[in-house]
Short mmCIF file of all heavy atoms in Angstrom, two decimals:
data_model
loop_
_atom_site.label_atom_id
_atom_site.label_comp_id
_atom_site.label_asym_id
_atom_site.label_seq_id
_atom_site.Cartn_x
_atom_site.Cartn_y
_atom_site.Cartn_z
N ALA A 22 116.73 80.02 122.61
CA ALA A 22 115.96 80.54 123.75
C ALA A 22 115.28 81.84 123.34
O ALA A 22 115.88 82.69 122.69
CB ALA A 22 116.88 80.77 124.94
N ILE A 23 114.01 81.96 123.72
CA ILE A 23 113.19 83.08 123.28
C ILE A 23 112.62 83.81 124.48
O ILE A 23 112.12 83.20 125.42
CB ILE A 23 112.03 82.57 122.39
CG1 ILE A 23 112.62 81.98 121.10
CG2 ILE A 23 111.05 83.69 122.06
CD1 ILE A 23 111.59 81.27 120.25
N GLU A 24 112.70 85.13 124.41
CA GLU A 24 112.13 85.95 125.49
C GLU A 24 111.49 87.19 124.86
O GLU A 24 112.13 87.89 124.06
CB GLU A 24 113.22 86.37 126.47
CG GLU A 24 112.67 86.86 127.77
CD GLU A 24 113.69 86.75 128.91
OE1 GLU A 24 114.87 86.49 128.62
OE2 GLU A 24 113.29 86.93 130.07
N GLY A 25 110.23 87.45 125.18
CA GLY A 25 109.55 88.64 124.67
C GLY A 25 109.48 88.68 123.16
O GLY A 25 109.55 89.75 122.57
N GLY A 26 109.33 87.50 122.53
CA GLY A 26 109.21 87.46 121.07
C GLY A 26 110.53 87.60 120.32
O GLY A 26 110.54 87.61 119.10
N ARG A 27 111.63 87.72 121.06
CA ARG A 27 112.95 87.84 120.42
C ARG A 27 113.82 86.65 120.80
O ARG A 27 113.62 86.03 121.85
CB ARG A 27 113.66 89.11 120.92
CG ARG A 27 112.90 90.38 120.64
CD ARG A 27 113.38 91.01 119.37
NE ARG A 27 112.67 92.25 119.10
CZ ARG A 27 113.07 93.16 118.22
NH1 ARG A 27 114.20 92.97 117.55
NH2 ARG A 27 112.37 94.24 118.00
N ILE A 28 114.79 86.37 119.96
CA ILE A 28 115.75 85.32 120.28
C ILE A 28 116.72 85.88 121.32
O ILE A 28 117.36 86.91 121.11
CB ILE A 28 116.50 84.86 119.02
CG1 ILE A 28 115.50 84.20 118.04
CG2 ILE A 28 117.63 83.90 119.38
CD1 ILE A 28 116.10 83.81 116.71
N ALA A 29 116.80 85.18 122.45
CA ALA A 29 117.66 85.64 123.55
C ALA A 29 119.04 85.00 123.47
O ALA A 29 120.05 85.62 123.82
CB ALA A 29 117.01 85.33 124.90
N ALA A 30 119.09 83.72 123.04
CA ALA A 30 120.38 83.03 122.98
C ALA A 30 120.28 81.88 121.99
O ALA A 30 119.22 81.28 121.81
CB ALA A 30 120.76 82.49 124.36
N VAL A 31 121.40 81.58 121.33
CA VAL A 31 121.49 80.44 120.41
C VAL A 31 122.76 79.68 120.77
O VAL A 31 123.86 80.25 120.79
CB VAL A 31 121.57 80.91 118.93
CG1 VAL A 31 121.71 79.71 118.00
CG2 VAL A 31 120.36 81.75 118.56
N THR A 32 122.60 78.38 121.08
CA THR A 32 123.78 77.57 121.38
C THR A 32 123.71 76.29 120.57
O THR A 32 122.64 75.69 120.45
CB THR A 32 123.86 77.22 122.88
OG1 THR A 32 122.57 76.71 123.28
CG2 THR A 32 124.18 78.44 123.71
N ALA A 33 124.82 75.88 120.01
CA ALA A 33 124.86 74.68 119.17
C ALA A 33 125.68 73.59 119.85
O ALA A 33 126.61 73.87 120.60
CB ALA A 33 125.48 75.01 117.80
N GLY A 34 125.29 72.33 119.59
CA GLY A 34 126.10 71.20 120.00
C GLY A 34 125.79 70.64 121.38
O GLY A 34 126.49 69.75 121.84
N GLY A 35 124.73 71.14 122.02
CA GLY A 35 124.39 70.64 123.34
C GLY A 35 123.10 69.83 123.35
O GLY A 35 122.33 69.89 122.39
N PRO A 36 122.85 69.10 124.41
CA PRO A 36 121.61 68.31 124.49
C PRO A 36 120.42 69.19 124.85
O PRO A 36 120.59 70.32 125.32
CB PRO A 36 121.92 67.34 125.64
CG PRO A 36 122.85 68.11 126.52
CD PRO A 36 123.67 68.96 125.61
N PRO A 37 119.18 68.69 124.59
CA PRO A 37 118.00 69.44 125.02
C PRO A 37 117.95 69.54 126.54
O PRO A 37 118.47 68.69 127.25
CB PRO A 37 116.84 68.61 124.47
CG PRO A 37 117.40 67.26 124.16
CD PRO A 37 118.86 67.41 123.94
N GLN A 38 117.33 70.62 127.01
CA GLN A 38 117.13 70.83 128.45
C GLN A 38 115.69 70.48 128.80
O GLN A 38 114.81 70.52 127.93
CB GLN A 38 117.41 72.29 128.80
CG GLN A 38 118.77 72.80 128.37
CD GLN A 38 119.90 72.13 129.13
OE1 GLN A 38 119.86 72.01 130.35
NE2 GLN A 38 120.90 71.63 128.40
N PRO A 39 115.42 70.18 130.06
CA PRO A 39 114.04 69.90 130.46
C PRO A 39 113.12 71.07 130.08
O PRO A 39 113.47 72.23 130.30
CB PRO A 39 114.12 69.76 131.99
CG PRO A 39 115.55 69.39 132.25
CD PRO A 39 116.36 70.06 131.18
N GLY A 40 111.98 70.75 129.46
CA GLY A 40 111.03 71.79 129.07
C GLY A 40 111.22 72.32 127.67
O GLY A 40 110.38 73.05 127.16
N ASP A 41 112.34 71.99 127.01
CA ASP A 41 112.55 72.45 125.64
C ASP A 41 111.50 71.84 124.70
O ASP A 41 111.12 70.68 124.86
CB ASP A 41 113.93 72.03 125.11
CG ASP A 41 115.05 72.87 125.71
OD1 ASP A 41 114.75 73.79 126.51
OD2 ASP A 41 116.22 72.60 125.38
N VAL A 42 111.04 72.63 123.75
CA VAL A 42 110.18 72.11 122.69
C VAL A 42 111.10 71.59 121.58
O VAL A 42 111.93 72.34 121.07
CB VAL A 42 109.25 73.22 122.14
CG1 VAL A 42 108.36 72.66 121.03
CG2 VAL A 42 108.43 73.83 123.26
N ARG A 43 110.96 70.32 121.22
CA ARG A 43 111.85 69.73 120.22
C ARG A 43 111.31 69.96 118.81
O ARG A 43 110.13 69.75 118.55
CB ARG A 43 111.99 68.22 120.45
CG ARG A 43 112.82 67.87 121.67
CD ARG A 43 112.84 66.34 121.82
NE ARG A 43 113.68 65.95 122.94
CZ ARG A 43 114.75 65.17 122.82
NH1 ARG A 43 115.12 64.69 121.64
NH2 ARG A 43 115.46 64.83 123.88
#
Side-chain angles (χ1 to χ4, degrees):
I23 295 172
E24 196 157 12
R27 301 264 181 165
I28 295 175
V31 178
T32 49
Q38 306 293 313
D41 285 359
V42 180
R43 288 178 177 240

